[in-house]
Each structure stands twice: as C-alpha cells, then as structure tokens.
Amino acid sequence: MPIAKVSLSLDPDLVDAARHRVGGRGLSGYVNEALRRRLQHDRLAELLEELDRSDGPLDPAVLEEVGRAWPVPGSRRRRA
C-alpha cells in the first residue's frame, strides 16, 4: 500500500503517550488508525444528519428504547 509522508504539529504530551503505548516504530500506524476511525466517525455523523434532513428526527420513544437496550458505557441507564 502506498504511503504519503506528511509533517504534522501535534501536542507533545499526546505524542509521548502514544509512543509510550506503541513504541517509536508503531507511531505512524497508531496515528493512521486514529485518523481512519475519525474519518469513519465524521462520515457516519454526516449520514445521520442527512437522514434527519430527509426523513426527520427519530421518535424520542425509539431513542429511549434503544438507550435501554444498548446503554452507553459508564451511563446510569440500566436495562429494563
């Protein structure tokens, strides 16, 4: 797979933490995966916004049901 060399300005504390986690040689892959996930997240958010515009917002009752079935980790919601 071809690669593109880039120069980035990053928070030094983040770089140190990432290097500590993956080692010096794993930093590029770690940043690449983080960028891939962020782009997926952004595309999903765009899709949801588009669906809201075309189909209207979800029914609050449906959102509540989904929240009970799949609670957010660390939230206080519990399954019924």
Side-chain angles (χ1 to χ4, degrees):
M1 177 169 76
I3 61 168
K5 287 251 185 198
V6 296
S7 175
L8 302 170
S9 298
L10 303 170
D11 182 333
D13 293 338
L14 292 175
V15 173
D16 289 344
R19 279 192 175 132
H20 180 74
R21 181 165 298 277
V22 299
R25 297 183 146 260
L27 185 59
S28 290
Y30 194 76
V31 172
N32 196 68
E33 181 60 24
L35 184 56
R36 182 184 322 282
R37 287 178 186 224
R38 179 55 193 246
L39 288 168
Q40 288 172 341
H41 180 271
D42 291 349
R43 286 192 298 267
L44 179 58
E46 290 167 1
L47 173 62
L48 292 173
E49 288 173 6
E50 182 181 322
L51 290 172
D52 269 355
R53 282 192 302 275
S54 66
D55 300 334
L58 289 173
D59 182 331
V62 171
L63 291 174
E64 183 64 30
E65 182 180 341
V66 169
R68 284 192 305 273
W70 293 302
V72 174
S75 73
R76 294 178 184 239
R77 283 188 177 172
R78 302 210 181 245
R79 289 185 183 193

